Amino acid sequence: MKEQLEKIRQLAEKELTECGAADVLENLRVKYLGKKGELTAILKQMGQLSAEERPVIGQLANDVRRTIEEKITERAEILRTEFAARKLKEETIDVTLPGKKQNVGKLHPLTVTLNDVKEIFLGMGFEVVEGPEVETDHYCFEALNMPKHHPARDTQDTFYINDNVVLRTQTSSVQIRTMEKKKPPIRIISPGRVYRSDAVDATHSPIFHQIEGLVIDKGITMADLNGTLELLMKRLYGEDCKIRLRPHHFPYTEPSAEVDIMCFNCHGEGCPMCKNEGYIEVLGAGMVHPKVLEGCGIDPEVYSGFAFGIGLERITMGRYEINDLRLLYENDMRFLGQF
Ligand code: DAH
């Protein structure tokens, strides 16, 4: 029995020393010290020993057990240290390497300008509303006092879906949709895409953006229109910005005006940017035509109002001194990154 115990001790020491993984170590522990382990098997035979032999063998068995236990603890400690060292090595980060640059996006200049315009109008108590880009002839033309064959239609050639449905050429359609739904007082702006059958050049695009404005209440006059637009332009272009209204004609306003802003480049002196005019046209406006009000069920004897349509591209180009409309749509990062 003594020899058996010594053999177990030797073999266990050898196996434990060679053991290189935690799960193998656990198997060895079960093999030697477990309930069905080799040491236990020997201790079960103790009963067969004589009274003198028993304490000697018992002592030895305890010795062997302690040796194996110590060896296991020692080995486990070594394996843990090795594992930690290996992991540390595998996961080393070289903090001196240059990082990966994260490109941060920014808003498109058209979006920046639109956000600013919205902010200014919200501050004056306006509401922002939307209208459909695919529109009926009725809302885009007819209800705006532009019956079929009206010459004003020719200036806004559109993409027809069918005889009755068009891609809207102007956000003025939202005026009608709003007045049909809401009772005065009305104070809205409506930004959005518009479409025209135009060839692309530095100042034209078949798709562009407008911001429509509409105010209807009792006692609204041209002075209110002037004051509102002046405030808008001063906020957008600086306090020294001046506007001027030139008589014009739109079928849905009477009187009508085209609105110019003082050239931000030459401050009214005349330069290539404003084609020597000193002023640059930015929008159309006027007092809502009584026929249009009537058509929407609003009594023109009681209510009056003004409307305007701003070209978003145009005021953006003015703000950032962009001289070619196409730059706004090409999405060239070298261009967009400047704003
Ligand atoms: N719809 C016009 C255009 O596209 C702009 C315009 C002019 C809008 C006068 C208006 C307005 O609301 O009253 O050129």
Side-chain angles (χ1 to χ4, degrees), residues 106-122:
K106 47 169 97 170
L107 295 177
H108 191 282
L110 287 176
T111 311
V112 174
T113 305
L114 178 57
N115 286 347
D116 291 347
V117 171
K118 280 186 189 167
E119 193 89 346
I120 294 164
F121 278 107
L122 286 172

Side-chain angles (χ1 to χ4, degrees), residues 124-137:
M124 289 193 274
F126 282 62
E127 209 184 313
V128 181
V129 302
E130 279 184 25
E133 290 171 24
V134 181
E135 191 50 286
T136 61
D137 185 276

Side-chain angles (χ1 to χ4, degrees), residues 156 169-170 172 175 196 210 212-213 250 252-253 284-286 307-309:
Q156 298 186 4
T169 57
Q170 49 185 0
S172 301
Q175 287 185 32
R196 289 187 197 179
Q210 288 187 333
E212 195 74 16
F250 296 105
Y252 34 95
T253 44
F308 56 85

